[in-house]
Amino acid sequence: MAVTPLLQITELQKRYGENSLIISGLSHRFEGGSATGLVGANGAGKTTFLRLISAAAFPTSGEVAFNGFDIHQHVHRYLQHVGIVSDTSDMPQFLTADELVEAVMRSRGVWDEKNSPEQKAALFDLVELDERRTGLIGTYSSGMMQKTMIAAALAGNPSILLLDEPFRALDESAVESVMNILKDFVSKGNILLVSSHQKSYLEALCTEYIEFPYVR
Amino acid sequence: MKSSLKPYKQQELVGRIQLVAVSFAGLLSGIGIAGTYTGAELVVVSRFMMMVYAGVLAFATPWAMFPQVSVYLYQSLNPQPSTLVRLLFRRLRVVYLPAIAMMLAIPMWGAMQSDGQAAFVLILAVENLTGVIGLTLYASYRYLRVGPVSQLWQEGKLGKNMLKSLEESGKSTGVPAGSIPTITTTVVVAAFGMLAVVLGAWLQGISGIPLNAAGALLLGFAGLFGWMKSSRTADVTFFHAHAFYQELFRNPGGSADGGRDPLPYAALYWVPRNIRTLVWTMLRQMDRKVPVGRLVITGVVVYWMLLYSGVQDTLIVILSPVFILAAKNALMLRMGQAVFTPVRFQQQLGTTTQWLLARLFAGLRWSFPMAAGLGLAAWLSPIVNSHMLFFWISADLILVIGTAAYMNRILTHRLRYQFN
């Protein structure tokens, strides 16, 4: 039986260099089955927060623990459980979406030669990435890039999804599909953290919110 | 502020290291080629190498100039057309700097083998330098101008009709219509470059005065005149050419490998299982964009030809493979660029140690064929021995380890400083 994921943040603080605090005194407990919306104006600290809990940035002080271990001390172990849609299209430009998703599945140990090719195709169908999935990522439109990142985030069978503006550049039909995927993800007892400026999307998805700037 | 700039400085440093490495390879090649030649022999060797440069230039120029990662930044900053021209020549350094190093090393090294001849060396050095600059100016201008023309071929009726008639006559080219003007330019640049060398040699022969570079000078003037004439509209031509080559090289709408089968995962049975995926993502991208395999094959074949031609100089015999090894590993450094290995992709797929090992194995991929090619040379040639082979294999291992470690350090630092 899978362990229920638990992400515990304690007194998180972040400042860049000698600048003023971006985040301070943030403590929160994210349990399996929760969907949390990160809201706030541009530059309020949402992306910084997502970078901190995806271990791309390190806190000035405080701790982020996943199932009892400090994620910044065990980055690789933690990221095995995480799917990320970041604020930038950080993907290798000379791989295809098909190869990227396969690489994620293989690196997470969820690939098997018999069934995974079909699972991969089904995942692309879910996010509505058409046959151009076999073209180089560097040639994609911003919407296709976004769909690829979402597919790659889901491919490794994660228990946490960290999504920074996941609906950006998606057409209406794709937004609907992604919303359904995310609702299904949460209903299976996983943790979802999502930032977006589209309030209606967050309202349809989230049960709790953290408002930024968060400085206590 | 200092720390946030660090990754970008490191990326720039990688570019500089590559530039120094290929220039150094050019310098060593010049020394190796000059060998024990003196006097008139050096002139003949210089002409021959200038012809080789014309051929290299014809193929490498568009790849070196386009596409540019920072094109959106250029559009935002909207620099003067002259600045865009400077940026193009900056990108082209990787082609012309090693050529300059090589073409200057030939007379200089030759002079060291014999006494005096200062005036002769100076004249030949000036001729060689003029030759490289002239051919480069001409080739770069031709390729800049061919971009907009290629777009017409790619999207208009002319290209489609031509391809159709070729197919009907059973001579399918298998290339996009837009690449036909580029291929023609490749042939024209190579042919004119070589003819310019022949013209110079002929003029020198009939006049008795040093006119070796006269042909290249003429081409250079043609290129310079073209650049000056279009300097006010260089921005239009730059963005048009850039747009076309970006489409051509990134191949949107086409298959990623142009009909070839990409490297299968199972082919990496020689890589440890826990890093196999990382190596696979690197090698698939390299096969598409970094031609290490072609470099190694060409290098080994040229080396066999060198041995077959009866070269006796031990220095040339030992150093030539070292140039190929240096170039091979310098090319590997390109995999440290963000377009191939973005830092967050790296972080999500493996640990720092796994990536270090993966880079090591990816570097070793072409070491085996290279060692086999050199081993064959050691077996067949009386002048190459097993000690040399051991030296080359050791040198390659050291370079592979150094390259992997350096790439790892850069990417780890980039991750550490990018968001902190």
Side-chain angles (χ1 to χ4, degrees):
Chain A
M1 189 179 160
V3 179
T4 310
L6 175 67
L7 192 66
Q8 174 80 49
I9 295 172
T10 313
E11 286 298 314
L12 194 69
Q13 192 178 75
K14 178 66 183 173
R15 73 165 82 231
Y16 289 115
E18 290 170 13
N19 298 321
S20 56
L21 286 165
I22 307 275
I23 295 166
S24 171
L26 204 167
S27 296
H28 200 93
R29 185 183 163 93
F30 301 93
E31 292 180 354
S34 68
T36 309
L38 310 176
V39 292
N42 294 132
K46 302 185 297 293
T47 297
T48 296
F49 178 68
L50 282 170
R51 283 176 188 159
L52 283 168
I53 56 172
S54 62
F58 282 66
T60 308
S61 66
E63 190 193 62
V64 183
F66 174 70
N67 286 354
F69 65 83
D70 184 340
I71 67 159
H72 293 97
Q73 298 300 318
H74 304 276
V75 177
H76 185 63
R77 187 176 155 201
Y78 168 62
L79 290 178
Q80 288 288 328
H81 303 276
V82 182
I84 298 169
V85 172
S86 63
D87 55 321
T88 51
S89 304
D90 260 355
M91 291 181 290
Q93 304 285 295
F94 295 97
L95 282 184
T96 66
D98 200 60
E99 291 165 346
L100 178 68
V101 164
E102 185 174 332
V104 172
M105 292 173 88
R106 285 185 185 277
S107 73
R108 301 284 170 95
V110 296
W111 178 269
D112 79 85
E113 297 294 344
K114 196 178 168 191
N115 300 315
S116 294
E118 272 180 28
Q119 290 167 353
K120 187 172 59 168
L123 185 56
F124 283 125
D125 291 342
L126 267 180
V127 298
E128 299 186 359
L129 186 62
D130 60 21
E131 68 280 358
R132 282 172 288 178
R133 66 188 70 159
T134 54
L136 296 181
I137 291 172
T139 66
Y140 288 0
S141 69
S142 48
M144 289 167 71
M145 289 254 193
Q146 197 72 353
K147 289 174 182 179
T148 306
M149 270 208 285
I150 292 168
L154 291 162
N157 202 10
S159 51
I160 301 180
L161 272 182
L162 306 174
L163 313 178
D164 197 347
E165 295 286 352
F167 309 110
R168 182 175 40 201
L170 295 184
D171 54 58
E172 273 183 37
S173 161
V175 166
E176 202 180 318
S177 298
V178 171
M179 291 285 274
N180 288 335
I181 294 169
L182 297 181
K183 282 176 188 167
D184 183 51
F185 178 79
V186 176
S187 71
K188 287 176 180 164
N190 298 308
I191 298 173
L192 171 71
L193 278 92
V194 54
S195 88
S196 177
H197 290 289
Q198 306 286 330
K199 273 192 178 172
S200 58
Y201 298 158
L202 291 185
E203 281 166 8
L205 270 177
C206 301
T207 47
E208 57 180 347
Y209 298 90
I210 300 178
E211 198 168 333
F212 290 87
Y214 197 105
V215 181
R216 300 284 186 270
Chain B
M1 180 59 92
K2 269 182 190 172
S3 64
S4 64
L5 286 174
K6 204 164 177 174
Y8 303 103
K9 285 182 177 170
Q10 280 172 337
Q11 200 161 356
E12 200 179 314
L13 188 62
V14 173
R16 284 188 187 156
I17 287 174
Q18 280 182 300
L19 206 56
V20 170
V22 290
S23 300
F24 188 65
L27 183 78
L28 290 178
S29 303
I31 292 170
I33 290 159
T36 53
Y37 295 130
T38 55
E41 291 170 329
L42 288 173
V43 177
V44 175
V45 167
S46 295
R47 285 176 191 154
F48 177 71
M49 291 317 296
M50 196 61 78
M51 285 189 172
V52 173
Y53 178 60
V56 170
L57 200 58
F59 282 99
T61 302
W63 290 92
M65 292 204 300
F66 305 106
Q68 303 207 7
V69 178
S70 311
V71 69
Y72 301 113
L73 183 66
Y74 300 160
Q75 287 175 324
S76 304
L77 296 176
N78 197 18
Q80 292 292 325
S82 57
T83 309
L84 290 172
V85 172
R86 275 209 303 278
L87 286 165
L88 276 180
F89 278 102
R90 198 179 151 84
R91 282 287 298 260
L92 207 51
R93 286 184 306 186
V94 71
V95 178
Y96 64 76
L97 281 186
I100 288 175
M102 180 180 73
M103 295 308 289
L104 290 181
I106 290 173
M108 304 286 183
W109 181 258
M112 287 167 69
Q113 306 302 305
S114 55
D115 298 327
Q117 297 188 319
F120 166 78
V121 169
L122 187 66
I123 289 169
L124 188 55
V126 170
E127 282 181 336
N128 286 356
L129 187 63
T130 309
V132 173
I133 293 172
L135 296 189
T136 308
L137 275 171
Y138 178 69
S140 54
Y141 178 68
R142 288 296 303 239
Y143 276 110
L144 186 76
R145 297 299 301 176
V146 85
V149 179
S150 303
Q151 182 104 29
L152 285 176
W153 277 69
Q154 182 84 336
E155 291 159 20
K157 285 181 182 169
L158 189 60
K160 279 181 191 137
N161 290 344
M162 186 169 180
L163 284 186
K164 198 177 167 190
S165 63
L166 280 172
E167 269 171 30
E168 281 168 0
S169 60
K171 293 172 186 167
S172 175
T173 57
V175 296
S179 64
I180 292 173
T182 305
I183 293 167
T184 311
T185 304
T186 305
V187 175
V188 168
V189 168
F192 274 43
M194 290 176 192
L195 280 174
V197 178
V198 175
L199 178 69
W202 179 71
L203 286 173
Q204 175 148 334
I206 58 166
S207 67
I209 52 175
L211 285 171
N212 261 317
L217 199 62
L218 281 175
L219 283 186
F221 274 127
L224 189 63
F225 179 70
W227 276 110
M228 286 170 70
K229 201 174 117 189
S230 59
S231 62
R232 284 189 183 173
T233 55
D235 51 340
V236 179
T237 323
F238 171 86
F239 287 118
H240 204 158
H242 188 281
F244 169 72
Y245 282 110
Q246 189 162 30
E247 283 179 30
L248 185 69
F249 292 154
R250 292 279 173 96
N251 193 21
S255 71
D257 299 280
R260 286 175 300 165
D261 287 333
L263 178 74
Y265 189 84
L268 297 177
Y269 57 86
W270 50 278
V271 178
R273 191 177 292 272
N274 69 335
I275 57 164
R276 200 174 291 165
T277 303
L278 311 188
V279 175
W280 181 66
T281 62
M282 286 177 76
L283 294 183
R284 277 226 168 166
Q285 294 195 84
M286 281 180 71
D287 286 350
R288 287 168 187 151
K289 203 64 192 165
V290 190
V292 180
R294 271 173 277 168
L295 173 94
V296 168
I297 292 165
T298 312
V300 169
V301 169
V302 169
Y303 187 60
W304 285 343
M305 286 165 65
L306 195 72
L307 294 175
Y308 181 72
S309 70
V311 66
Q312 292 295 315
D313 193 305
T314 317
L315 195 66
I316 299 175
V317 172
I318 294 176
L319 282 184
S320 302
V322 178
F323 306 149
I324 309 167
L325 294 173
K328 167 174 103 67
N329 287 288
L331 272 181
M332 276 297 298
L333 275 176
R334 282 195 68 191
M335 291 310 293
Q337 292 175 343
V339 288
F340 296 106
T341 320
V343 285
R344 297 190 76 174
F345 162 77
Q346 171 181 269
Q347 190 192 33
Q348 285 170 52
L349 247 64
T351 63
T352 309
T353 313
Q354 282 177 323
W355 275 106
L356 173 68
L357 290 171
R359 288 179 179 121
L360 226 154
F361 273 86
L364 285 175
R365 182 207 195 180
W366 285 103
S367 295
F368 301 121
M370 176 96 189
L374 294 174
L376 193 65
W379 185 49
L380 293 174
S381 165
I383 197 167
V384 179
N385 57 44
S386 56
H387 296 293
M388 291 179 189
L389 186 61
F390 179 74
F391 168 73
W392 294 323
I393 292 172
S394 308
D396 190 26
L397 275 178
I398 291 167
L399 285 168
V400 166
I401 292 168
T403 306
Y406 185 69
M407 257 200 289
N408 228 47
R409 187 177 153 74
I410 289 168
L411 285 162
T412 310
H413 272 246
R414 200 181 294 161
L415 176 66
R416 190 171 297 164
Y417 290 106
Q418 192 158 331
F419 304 121
N420 288 289

